[in-house]
Amino acid sequence: MERSFDERAQSVLANLQTIRMRINEACSICGRSPDEITLMAVTKTVPAEVIQVALDAGVTVMGENRVQEFLGKRDALQLANTDVHLIGHLQTNKVKQIVGTVSTIQSVDSLRLAEKIAEESCKQGVVTNVLVEVNVGDELSKSGVSLSEAESLLRQIAPLSGIRVSGLMCIPPIAHTSEEKRQNFSLMHQLFIDIRGKNIDNVYMDILSMGMSDDYFEAILEGATLIRVGSALFGHRT
Ligand SMILES: *Cc1c(COP(=O)(O)O)cnc(C)c1O
């Protein structure tokens, strides 16, 4: 049976409380401040009125996967205090539609895509933050550059006007144990710190976006600054 809006809203609020508790718990284990962690609500397939519950409860960042889906929901949301990121794979022919409607595109994995985003941002007089997506497990099914290619892509896109290179993002392979989960996050954190240490012009390592519903706890232990949580907040997607 379809759940009522009120029931769904209540469960989002309860889930949010649980997630915040776990963020605090992870932070206390590794000696970080919860202020260092940004909780992103991942809103694919979630109706606007349910998303709004999370935003009204203090979630400040939302992530959408698909351009069309976001543009379809946007007018039904109050986004004045919300930072919106695109987190899904972006085709170059959709760049025009999305630039100017989101602050950040987390899924940049080619020079060509970065150039398109930069060009369109300049045209619109905006600066779009971009993260380089790293395919940390070298999986054929996933987009992203390999760990070893990341720095060279960052160096190529850094000089482009209209974008600000703000960090790294990854979707790691499915892992079952806590240890397995932490391994890939640890590799990402090392890369993040290495690149930060190189002080490359126009490359800002502000955001390390990693950790989803099943592994955000481990991601925080390994240095994530932004976690992307969907189903643990809104319930399973249908
Ligand atoms: C769907 C999605 C998430 C959230 O996944 P959950 O497991 O539901 O938390 C995070 N990041 C990306 C890129 C996604 O596509």
Side-chain angles (χ1 to χ4, degrees), residues 42 44 65 87 169 171 212-213 228-231 237:
V42 174
K44 59 178 174 249
N65 285 67
I87 59 174
M169 172 284 211
I171 308 172
M212 318 201 308
S213 291
R228 308 183 308 267
V229 181
S231 49
R237 288 179 288 274

Side-chain angles (χ1 to χ4, degrees), residues 90-214:
L90 177 59
Q91 291 168 296
T92 48
N93 63 6
K94 298 269 172 66
V95 167
K96 243 191 187 46
Q97 294 171 280
I98 196 71
V99 165
T101 74
V102 298
S103 74
T104 307
I105 296 174
Q106 293 208 357
S107 43
V108 171
D109 63 356
S110 72
L111 175 60
R112 199 170 106 81
L113 177 58
E115 282 172 342
K116 278 273 181 204
I117 296 167
E119 185 190 334
E120 185 59 28
S121 299
C122 286
K123 226 184 258 177
Q124 294 189 23
V126 298
V127 173
T128 303
N129 300 318
V130 302
L131 307 187
V132 164
E133 180 173 354
V134 179
N135 183 359
V136 66
D138 281 325
E139 293 169 282
L140 289 175
S141 60
K142 284 190 183 147
S143 38
V145 296
S146 68
L147 279 166
S148 60
E149 293 162 342
E151 184 181 334
S152 113
L153 180 61
L154 285 162
R155 287 186 186 275
Q156 287 176 289
I157 69 179
L160 300 173
S161 318
I163 62 171
R164 183 182 197 274
V165 182
S166 306
L168 304 174
M169 172 284 211
C170 78
I171 308 172
I174 292 172
H176 299 286
T177 66
S178 187
E179 230 138 84
E180 263 184 273
K181 291 173 188 174
R182 292 183 66 165
Q183 263 165 17
N184 283 309
F185 292 143
S186 167
L187 291 173
M188 285 296 296
H189 187 244
Q190 276 169 36
L191 178 66
F192 184 72
I193 295 299
D194 282 355
I195 290 172
R196 184 184 267 172
K198 291 188 178 172
N199 290 317
I200 304 167
D201 275 353
N202 300 315
V203 171
Y204 302 89
M205 285 292 119
D206 296 332
I207 302 177
L208 180 55
S209 169
M210 60 186 193
M212 318 201 308
S213 291
D214 288 333

